[in-house]
Amino acid sequence: MSLPLPYFSRDVHWNNKTKEARIEGSLPTLKYFAQNLMYPRASGLGLENKSIEYGNLTVNLSTSEIINMYSWEFYARELSTAPSEKALQGLEIMNAVYQALSSGVASKPGGTHIYAGHDGTIDFLRAILNLTWEAPPYYGSPGPTPPTSALMFTRHPDGRVQIDDVYPVLNGSLTPQIRTQAVSPASLSLEEMSKRVNDVLNKNSAAAACAEKLGLKFR
């Protein structure tokens, strides 16, 4: 299912204070509405068969119908932040992941690093490494990120790093189905990972300046 583009000439405005483009109109409204439908269903025990009420109006939506609406969340985030901005904001987490895989605990047999973040943090890594994935039944972006989803990087003895998307199929219970889906590309060597990061830095002067200021090197 495809989602329509916003009416950019009417709904997109430049904010001179923040130096950002802001999408207004129906897109943020649909995103907000979808979030408020999805999060209670996602986090509440025994809500899978409960109706949703607004005042005296009862809305009998199934979980699958709510998940379909929730695609506006991923779609709005994808349009609202440019890839260059995602790359800039994701440099530090990318460096942490890269260092852990190349020389930290995660490079040793059985070693594990867990980094906590937000759905946007996963968007940053996806943009920097140029990854895509599908996460059915969710859609709306090249890499949907429902609540509590994660990217799992697994370094194998041959040095290749397998990358998987791990996510729940939320159904209103405390025991949702957990799925693991390979991203595209499904694995990268550390050299390939380094090249993808440096390609972004070569094209993005702001990200390159930030990496230099922070002393981040990917090689």
Side-chain angles (χ1 to χ4, degrees):
M1 180 178 178
S2 61
L3 298 173
L5 287 172
Y7 189 172
F8 282 102
S9 62
R10 180 193 64 199
D11 293 339
V12 178
H13 304 279
W14 181 257
N15 188 317
N16 286 319
K17 184 176 182 180
T18 63
K19 305 301 180 184
E20 295 177 323
R22 179 179 176 83
I23 300 178
E24 298 177 347
S26 60
L27 185 62
T29 302
L30 288 166
K31 174 189 174 185
Y32 177 79
F33 186 57
Q35 286 175 319
N36 281 273
L37 287 173
M38 184 64 178
Y39 293 157
R41 185 62 57 94
S43 59
L45 175 61
L47 291 181
E48 58 269 37
N49 296 316
K50 297 292 180 65
S51 62
I52 300 169
E53 296 183 357
Y54 288 95
N56 295 323
L57 177 64
T58 298
V59 183
N60 292 312
L61 291 175
S62 67
T63 299
S64 61
E65 288 174 318
I66 293 175
I67 286 175
N68 282 338
M69 293 190 66
Y70 192 54
S71 60
W72 287 105
E73 155 71 15
F74 311 127
Y75 187 61
R77 261 201 351 262
E78 185 67 15
L79 291 181
S80 299
T81 307
S84 57
E85 180 66 18
K86 292 174 184 172
L88 176 62
Q89 294 186 45
L91 283 174
E92 287 191 281
I93 184 63
M94 183 68 255
N95 179 67
V97 170
Y98 182 79
Q99 295 302 327
L101 290 168
S102 59
S103 60
V105 172
S107 67
K108 302 175 183 178
T112 302
H113 268 172
I114 298 176
Y115 299 98
H118 298 276
D119 44 13
T121 309
I122 300 177
D123 288 343
F124 300 159
L125 292 172
R126 173 167 60 83
I128 293 174
L129 293 176
N130 193 21
L131 306 174
T132 61
W133 60 84
E134 295 182 354
Y138 308 101
Y139 61 94
S141 79
T145 54
T148 73
S149 61
L151 281 181
M152 180 168 63
F153 296 83
T154 304
R155 179 172 174 177
H156 292 275
D158 64 0
R160 294 199 67 80
V161 178
Q162 177 183 332
I163 311 174
D164 295 290
D165 174 45
V166 183
Y167 68 96
V169 180
L170 300 165
N171 60 6
S173 75
L174 294 181
T175 55
Q177 178 189 8
I178 305 299
R179 293 182 180 175
T180 301
Q181 186 93 0
V183 309
S184 179
S187 67
L188 294 168
S189 67
L190 287 172
E191 290 75 17
E192 290 169 336
M193 190 176 291
S194 171
K195 183 179 184 305
R196 288 186 176 226
V197 177
N198 284 302
D199 283 347
V200 169
L201 296 180
N202 290 334
K203 296 175 183 177
N204 188 332
S205 59
C210 179
E212 182 178 3
K213 185 175 182 178
L214 295 175
L216 307 181
K217 298 184 183 299
F218 300 91
R219 60 178 180 229

